[in-house]
Amino acid sequence: MANLNVYSALVVLFLTCGASMATKDNDQIIKENNCETKMGLPCVLEAFRSIFETGSISNKCCGELVGLGKVCHSALVKRTLENPLFKDLTPATIIAKSIQTWNNCLVLIDSPSPSF
């Protein structure tokens, strides 16, 4: 149960953190594109874990992530990295995992479903 609370807190931070610390560019991008409203909470958790921790992302959540758009995805990741809670993370590693997650989801979404 404590794990769920920690993840919930991290998701809230992922979506809203760094508002005062973020660059105007990221905040402006997020606001103008309504980035914080385009994914459901379960998929935000999956995406967060796949980028900031070790985890995978489901087909459904890949669809939501791609629907979010690359601009929003990048801006949210960058804003999260600006938060002091994540100061111990290596930005280059997180950016690489973010790109990998994005690219994997694009391939998954663009691939035709096998027919049975």
Side-chain angles (χ1 to χ4, degrees):
M1 187 68 168
N3 246 357
L4 181 58
N5 290 337
V6 170
Y7 286 129
S8 297
L10 289 175
V11 167
V12 170
L13 287 170
F14 180 65
L15 292 174
T16 62
C17 74
S20 62
M21 301 289 291
T23 63
K24 289 182 182 177
D25 291 337
N26 286 330
D27 272 350
Q28 187 172 359
I29 290 167
I30 291 165
K31 185 176 181 178
E32 287 175 357
N33 293 287
N34 296 314
C35 298
E36 295 175 333
T37 62
K38 292 184 176 181
M39 284 181 75
L41 182 59
C43 288
V44 169
L45 279 170
E46 277 189 32
F48 182 90
R49 283 187 213 119
S50 74
I51 296 166
F52 289 88
E53 297 173 358
T54 302
S56 60
I57 186 165
S58 67
N59 294 4
K60 176 186 181 292
C61 292
C62 270
E64 286 193 28
L65 181 64
V66 171
L68 173 70
K70 186 156 180 70
V71 170
C72 283
H73 171 68
S74 295
L76 288 166
V77 170
K78 288 175 186 173
R79 187 172 77 175
T80 301
L81 282 170
E82 292 170 347
N83 187 293
L85 290 174
F86 300 99
K87 69 179 189 261
D88 294 333
L89 298 177
T90 307
T93 301
I94 298 301
I95 297 292
K97 286 177 76 175
S98 168
I99 292 168
Q100 180 182 17
T101 298
W102 176 263
N103 288 340
N104 290 346
C105 284
L106 275 182
V107 168
L108 186 67
I109 297 306
D110 288 341
S111 297
S113 299
S115 56
F116 294 97

